[in-house]
Structures are given as structure tokens and as C-alpha cells.
């Protein structure tokens, strides 16, 4: 039986590659996409999800979600993905329409009708899933697991220690960590282990004619921004996370206690990962630590070239 997955996302350049990867994989069934603010406003990320749904013929329902975080005023606008959230690349306008239900209701309904087989994967801020948990007390009876691209056991990106998806709504992360639903965190510490070198990038893109030109353009923008931030090569965070979902055998992880800073100071949005051996705190999160580079990069190249 195929694994059933609902993907909550904020497309998003790396979200796009992650979705391409997911929909090509015969071992999973993507049930729906839910959208959230993040890389752009929720209006834009929803429009982008519809674009991708049509362009790549995903043919799944798209449900719109939160426009703002649970609590704090929204301060962090991503410049990584450009004003249209897709690296300024213009895809054909979508014809499919958003489905008439809020993201959090769709998460609940899809989980409940299956009975603990649904994986909820988040590739953006965690607000929709947190709202579903707060709105439906019994959600924990129905969701198999939540896998998060977000947080970090080491450095951040939006802030020195804060990763963008969690910094965008730390309270939502806190709700999820306390939800009693099994949670796996694929943070920057893990996705960074898949960063391709300049050499590997050259190899993958040497024959760029095999890759959709719009995707090439989008990833050129994405790599350019990473370079502007002083990083060599390229890491595609959401795609690396999707690879962990599809191939958990490529990842190493540990069940640990994780907390998140919600006080508005310089650590705001930092995920605190307790690696102390003698820690007595509740181990509430599986923290991915490494992802095998070679099979991941091969898989990524296949995803890009076989669409
Ligand atoms: O920090 C990386 C994450 O933030 C990715 O999900 C990216 O798409 C942005 O949402
Ligand atoms: Ca994302």
C-alpha cells in the first residue's frame, strides 16, 4: 500500500523541487496540498501551488491556509524567492481553483477519514498544522506523524540561530512539539549535509537541456541568492526533506527533547535541541542529523531531468 502524505507548503523555489520529487515517486500518494504564508503572502503561495498543480499535472486539491502567524506580527519577508515566490520566473497562469475548505479543516478531515495512516509534511511555517491541533483536540488520534522542514540543531538562516519556517511562527512549532503526535524535524543542520559543491552543481547542470528551462531559471536565481549570502554551491532544503520522507534509510536521526524560543529576543524562533545524555526531559522529536549525499544528489538529478 502507498504511504499517504499531505503536503503543507509555501511555494517557493525549493518547495517546487520537493513537490516534483514527491509526485514522481510511486511509493507515495499525495492526498492534497495545503498552503501557508512564508516565502510570499498566502495569496501568492496558493497561486503558485495552483500553478504547479496544473503545470506538472499533479491533479490534487489545493487548500488555502493561514495568512499570518498565530501570535506575533509578521516581520520576516523572504527575499530568497523573489516577489512572486518563484524566483521571478513566470509559469503559465493556473486554470485550477482552490478547494473550498480551510487548510486546517482539510488536514483534520483527511487524517480522520484514514485513521492514523496520514503523514503530514510541512515545508513552510507551521501555522496551519498548529491551528488544526488547536481546533481539533482529537487530531492526535488520526495523524500518523508530522515531518517538518524547519528548525536547526546548529545555525539558522533567517536569524543567527533561527531557521525561517520556525522563525515565521515559533508558537506554532511549540504547539506541534507539545501535540503528542510523533514529530520528525529535518532542520538546517540536516539539509545542509546535502549542499552540492560547485563541481557537483556544474555536473548536474552541464546538460541543462534535459531540465525544464523554467526550473533551470528558478534554480539559477536560488543559487545566486545563496551565493550573495556567502554560501558556495546550493542546498535545496525542501527537496532534501522530501528525500528523507521518501528514503528514511538515507538519514540518521535521534529521538531527543526539542523546545523553541518564543520570547522575543535574539534567540526568537531558535529550536533548542537537548543532546545531553543524562537529559530527563521528554523526548518529543526525532531530530534528523545527516542525509546521505550521494544517493540524494543522484535522486535530485533524476527528478530534475525526468520530468
Ligand atoms: O529555511 C528553509 C525553508 O524556508 C524552506 O522551506 C524554504 O522554502 C523556506 O520556506
Ligand atoms: Ca518552503
Amino acid at each position: 500500500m502507498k504511504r499517504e502524505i499531505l503536503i503543507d507548503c509555501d511555494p517557493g523555489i525549493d518547495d517546487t523541487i520537493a513537490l516534483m520529487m514527491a509526485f514522481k515517486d510511486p511509493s507515495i500518494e499525495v492526498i492534497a496540498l495545503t498552503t501557508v504564508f512564508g516565502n510570499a503572502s498566502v495569496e501568492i503561495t496558493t497561486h503558485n501551488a495552483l500553478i504547479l498543480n496544473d503545470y506538472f499535472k499533479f491533479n490534487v486539491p489545493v487548500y488555502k491556509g493561514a495568512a499570518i502567524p498565530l501570535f506575533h506580527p509578521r516581520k520576516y519577508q523572504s527575499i530568497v524567492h523573489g516577489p512572486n515566490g518563484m524566483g521571478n520566473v513566470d509559469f503559465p497562469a493556473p486554470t485550477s481553483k482552490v478547494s473550498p475548505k480551510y487548510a486546517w479543516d482539510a488536514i483534520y478531515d483527511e487524517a480522520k477519514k484514514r485513521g492514523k495512516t496520514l503523514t503530514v509534511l510541512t515545508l513552510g511555517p507551521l501555522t496551519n498544522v498548529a491551528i488544526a491541533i488547536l481546533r481539533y483536540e482529537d487530531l492526535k488520534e488520526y495523524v500518523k506523524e508530522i515531518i517538518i522542514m524547519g528548525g536547526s540543531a546548529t545555525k539558522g538562516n533567517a536569524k543567527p540561530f533561527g531557521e525561517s519556517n520556525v522563525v515565521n511562527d515559533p508558537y506554532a512549532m511549540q504547539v506541534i512539539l507539545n501535540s503528542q503526535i510523533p514529530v520528525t524535524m529535518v532542520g538546517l543542520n540536516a539539509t545542509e549535509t546535502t549542499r552540492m559543491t560547485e563541481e557537483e552543481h556544474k555536473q548536474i547542470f552541464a546538460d541543462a537541456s534535459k531540465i525544464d528551462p523554467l526550473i533551470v531559471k528558478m534554480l539559477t536565481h536560488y543559487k545566486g541568492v545563496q551565493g550573495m549570502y556567502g554560501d558556495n554551491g546550493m542546498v535545496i532544503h525542501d527537496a532534501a526533506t522530501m528525500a528523507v520522507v521518501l528514503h528514511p534509510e538515507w538519514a540518521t536521526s535521534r529521538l531527543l527533547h526539542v523546545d523553541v524560543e518564543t520570547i522575543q529576543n535574539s534567540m526568537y524562533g531558535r529550536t533548542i535541541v537537548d543532546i545531553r545524555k543524562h537529559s530527563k526531559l521528554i523526548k518529543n522529536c526525532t531530530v534528523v542529523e545527516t542525509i546521505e549525499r550521494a544517493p540524494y544528489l543522484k535522486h535530485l538529478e533524476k527528478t530534475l531531468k525526468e520530468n
Side-chain angles (χ1 to χ4, degrees):
M1 193 181 141
K2 291 186 180 208
R3 285 167 67 203
E4 295 159 314
I5 297 188
L6 181 147
I7 305 174
D8 187 74
C9 54
D10 61 339
I13 298 173
D14 54 341
D15 301 73
T16 300
I17 310 301
L19 294 179
M20 288 167 68
M21 201 178 261
F23 282 94
K24 276 177 70 74
D25 198 296
S27 71
I28 62 163
E29 183 186 353
V30 180
I31 300 301
L33 301 180
T34 52
T35 59
V36 64
F37 76 93
N39 289 325
S41 71
V42 74
E43 298 303 331
I44 294 176
T45 59
T46 306
H47 182 77
N48 292 344
L50 293 171
I51 284 178
L52 297 171
N53 201 27
D54 286 3
Y55 191 73
F56 291 111
K57 302 191 172 50
F58 295 155
N59 294 323
V60 288
V62 174
Y63 301 99
K64 186 171 162 185
I68 53 171
L70 288 185
F71 186 67
H72 70 81
R74 171 124 208 270
K75 284 188 197 153
Y76 309 100
Q77 183 86 42
S78 167
I79 59 156
V80 177
H81 303 255
N84 77 347
M86 302 285 261
N88 302 318
V89 174
D90 287 323
F91 283 84
T95 54
S96 63
K97 300 272 176 269
V98 78
S99 293
K101 212 187 255 189
Y102 286 120
W104 38 90
D105 295 329
I107 291 169
Y108 179 73
D109 291 348
E110 293 300 333
K112 188 170 181 181
K113 75 176 175 219
R114 295 190 156 73
K116 255 199 164 137
T117 59
L118 187 67
T119 293
V120 176
L121 169 66
T122 66
L123 303 176
L126 300 144
T127 320
N128 290 338
V129 180
I131 294 174
I133 291 166
L134 295 170
R135 165 78 182 78
Y136 298 103
E137 208 184 341
D138 57 341
L139 183 70
K140 58 177 178 291
E141 317 290 338
Y142 307 122
V143 171
K144 181 180 165 211
E145 59 180 343
I146 300 170
I147 301 179
I148 290 168
M149 189 290 118
S152 176
T154 53
K155 70 170 181 105
N157 52 8
K159 304 188 91 194
F161 293 102
E163 182 281 331
S164 144
N165 288 337
V166 175
V167 166
N168 266 322
D169 197 346
Y171 286 94
M173 179 66 167
Q174 197 175 50
V175 168
I176 290 174
L177 289 169
N178 290 322
S179 68
Q180 296 167 30
I181 298 171
V183 181
T184 297
M185 176 175 114
V186 188
L188 294 178
N189 59 296
T191 58
E192 279 289 346
T193 66
T194 67
R195 178 177 285 280
M196 63 178 84
T197 62
E198 291 292 339
E199 202 41 52
E200 286 162 340
H201 180 269
K202 257 191 219 133
Q203 271 166 24
I204 293 178
F205 286 84
D207 192 1
S209 66
K210 291 196 179 138
I211 308 176
D212 184 314
L214 297 181
I215 298 295
V216 173
K217 208 169 158 200
M218 221 168 69
L219 288 175
T220 305
H221 167 97
Y222 190 62
K223 182 171 185 297
V225 178
Q226 294 191 23
M228 219 167 72
Y229 288 163
D231 291 318
N232 284 325
M234 177 166 69
V235 56
I236 309 179
H237 302 286
D238 291 343
T241 304
M242 188 60 76
V244 171
V245 173
L246 301 174
H247 290 280
E249 73 278 9
W250 293 347
T252 61
S253 57
R254 274 192 287 172
L255 183 63
L256 296 167
H257 176 78
V258 176
D259 201 353
V260 57
E261 180 59 89
T262 52
I263 298 172
Q264 298 222 18
N265 58 26
S266 60
M267 297 292 184
Y268 185 63
R270 178 183 187 173
T271 44
I272 301 119
V273 179
D274 188 356
I275 56 170
R276 295 173 303 163
K277 289 209 170 66
H278 65 278
S279 175
K280 296 273 184 294
L281 299 173
I282 292 172
K283 296 189 186 336
N284 56 348
C285 186
T286 300
V287 179
V288 173
E289 295 185 306
T290 59
I291 303 167
E292 258 189 83
R293 287 167 45 74
Y296 162 71
L297 288 178
K298 226 182 249 162
H299 192 71
L300 175 68
E301 182 170 5
K302 207 165 153 225
T303 301
L304 295 174
K305 294 189 174 167
E306 287 178 11
N307 250 289

